[in-house]
Amino acid sequence: MKWEENVRRVVPYTPGEQPDRPGVIKLNTNECPYPPAPGVAAAIERLDADRMRLYPAFPEQTALTEELAAYYHVGKDQIFIGVGSDDVLSMAFMTFFNGDRPILFPDITYSFYDVWAEVYGIPYETKALDAAFRIRPEDYCQGSGGVIFPNPNAPTGVLLGLHEVEKIVAANRDVVVIVDEAYIDFGGTSALPLLDKYDNLLVVQTFSKSRAMAGMRIGYAIGSPQLIRYLHDVKYSVNSYTLNYPTLELGVEAVRDKAYFAACCDKIIQTRARAQKELTRLGFTFPESYGNFLFASHKSVPAQMIFQELKENDIYVRWWDKERIDKYLRITIGTDEQMEALYAALDKICGG
């Protein structure tokens, strides 16, 4: 058909499966296994239904921006809020990656990056992780149109030290460097302290993992006031009212309860440590993870077979049919009970 000549064609991002039936153990999308802070449930009861007929306030004019600014000790003009970190990152691609030189990101990483680059017509190059799945900072110390990488990386969970992150930012002062910190709360050191030195750094985080609010879709970026102003200019040129009133209200409670947040993160870290011991006993190897997941390969049983057999037992993990990672499974850290069920199933599948 003639009209198809003008259609933009891309290979879309493929999310993890979302089984919708009782009894499934879902360890494939890195969601938090625990509920949001208690104040979130209480705030739901206080929502004003009459306000649903009105457009929500712009995010930077809300209590959520104030809470985030206070929590991270930055100015309100340094916060950008979007519909999940995917929305924030998409806006950042659209806003900052407009040069002729290719942007750089790892070859094994969050698989939305190349999708956004294709959608927006951004040239890009991927840089290979080393044999231990580590980012090599020297690969990013060259001329580019911008840099983006997750820290900890996904799906590997490998963390880049703050000194190495700074090396990349400092070598790219003429472009924007985005550090995607979706998993930083599970043991890593944030790049936020570098904001005082580098106005080209944008740090992106999310409520979907450590704050247990994937269903509400809240993401945010922290950077220099100038970077944030440019992001807002693009956002309000595309869609002004993207965050709804309930989301903005409930997000405040998720930030306020610092004790609950810390307890949830600590519980996941402890369960992750136990999972490392159990999976090692079962014959798996994996890089040290700083995320709420493990990236594990079995010594003899193919990952695809384990993936399929777990699925038949209503346990979902993530497997990619991709070069270099097709021998690995990404296993989200669930509750202790969910993980015990996983170990029991793996005992049978992998022969103890």
Side-chain angles (χ1 to χ4, degrees):
M1 291 175 283
K2 189 69 175 176
W3 56 265
E4 288 186 307
E5 297 176 4
N6 298 315
V7 172
R8 186 186 300 275
R9 302 185 186 190
V10 294
V11 178
Y13 169 74
T14 303
E17 295 176 79
Q18 298 283 4
D20 186 20
R21 62 181 184 278
V24 169
I25 297 176
K26 192 166 176 289
L27 305 176
N28 65 333
T29 50
N30 293 347
E31 294 150 322
C32 181
Y34 305 110
V40 174
I44 291 174
E45 300 298 323
R46 300 194 303 268
L47 290 175
D48 182 358
D50 186 58
R51 288 185 61 181
M52 305 295 183
R53 64 184 178 81
L54 303 174
Y55 284 114
F58 288 170
E60 70 272 20
Q61 300 170 354
T62 67
L64 180 55
T65 296
E66 294 178 358
E67 288 291 334
L68 287 169
Y71 185 88
Y72 291 108
H73 306 291
V74 298
K76 291 188 293 184
D77 58 354
Q78 291 183 262
I79 302 286
F80 175 89
I81 304 176
V83 186
S85 59
D86 287 342
D87 177 51
V88 175
L89 290 166
S90 177
M91 288 290 169
F93 268 65
M94 195 187 311
T95 304
F96 301 120
F97 295 158
N98 288 292
D100 296 326
R101 295 180 297 177
I103 65 170
L104 307 178
F105 50 84
D107 65 333
I108 300 172
T109 194
Y110 185 32
S111 50
F112 234 138
Y113 295 163
D114 58 346
V115 174
W116 287 319
E118 295 285 350
V119 167
Y120 298 132
I122 300 167
Y124 67 92
E125 290 180 9
T126 60
K127 298 297 181 179
L129 301 180
D130 69 14
F133 295 121
R134 295 174 300 205
I135 289 173
R136 295 179 290 205
E138 60 270 22
D139 290 343
Y140 299 85
C141 297
Q142 63 184 64
S144 72
V147 176
I148 181 169
F149 58 92
N151 198 38
N153 197 6
T156 64
V158 176
L159 182 74
L160 195 64
L162 187 59
H163 175 74
E164 295 169 302
V165 172
E166 182 171 10
K167 182 178 179 181
I168 294 173
V169 179
N172 289 276
R173 292 305 302 271
D174 59 337
V175 296
V176 173
V177 177
I178 303 173
V179 183
D180 181 356
E181 294 187 342
Y183 302 101
I184 199 65
D185 297 316
F186 301 110
T189 299
S190 174
L192 287 171
L194 300 178
L195 291 177
D196 291 337
K197 295 174 63 176
Y198 302 99
D199 61 1
N200 64 316
L201 170 64
L202 191 73
V203 177
V204 177
Q205 296 191 13
T206 179
F207 281 50
S208 296
K209 314 301 181 185
S210 55
R211 296 194 184 276
M213 292 186 70
M216 294 307 296
R217 312 305 300 130
I218 307 173
Y220 54 101
I222 306 176
S224 68
Q226 187 174 12
L227 284 185
I228 299 305
R229 186 164 58 250
Y230 283 134
L231 272 173
H232 280 136
D233 287 346
V234 171
K235 176 184 174 65
Y236 296 139
S237 299
V238 176
N239 188 345
S240 297
Y241 301 106
T242 52
L243 271 87
N244 60 63
Y245 152 62
T247 295
L248 292 167
E249 294 289 309
L250 303 183
V252 170
E253 298 300 329
V255 179
R256 282 181 178 165
D257 197 334
K258 297 178 183 179
Y260 182 84
F261 169 70
C264 272
C265 289
D266 185 64
K267 179 66 173 175
I268 290 168
I269 291 168
Q270 295 300 321
T271 304
R272 183 182 68 198
R274 169 76 191 285
Q276 290 171 331
K277 293 178 182 178
E278 288 297 316
L279 291 181
T280 299
R281 175 184 65 81
L282 289 162
F284 287 88
T285 58
F286 38 81
E288 183 176 5
S289 175
Y290 286 83
N292 64 338
F293 57 87
L294 294 173
F295 190 59
S297 176
H298 196 268
K299 62 184 179 182
S300 59
V301 184
Q304 184 178 15
M305 179 183 298
I306 299 172
F307 167 75
Q308 294 291 353
E309 293 202 25
L310 284 174
K311 192 172 173 180
E312 290 174 8
N313 286 276
D314 276 345
I315 301 175
Y316 283 70
V317 297
R318 196 80 193 269
W319 173 74
W320 289 269
D321 187 11
K322 291 184 178 181
E323 186 178 358
R324 292 191 71 192
I325 62 172
D326 59 355
K327 294 180 174 62
Y328 287 81
L329 299 168
R330 193 194 67 191
I331 304 170
T332 301
I333 303 301
T335 64
D336 289 336
E337 293 76 17
Q338 289 173 328
M339 299 305 288
E340 289 297 331
L342 171 70
Y343 308 145
L346 289 174
D347 255 321
K348 295 177 181 178
I349 296 168
C350 301

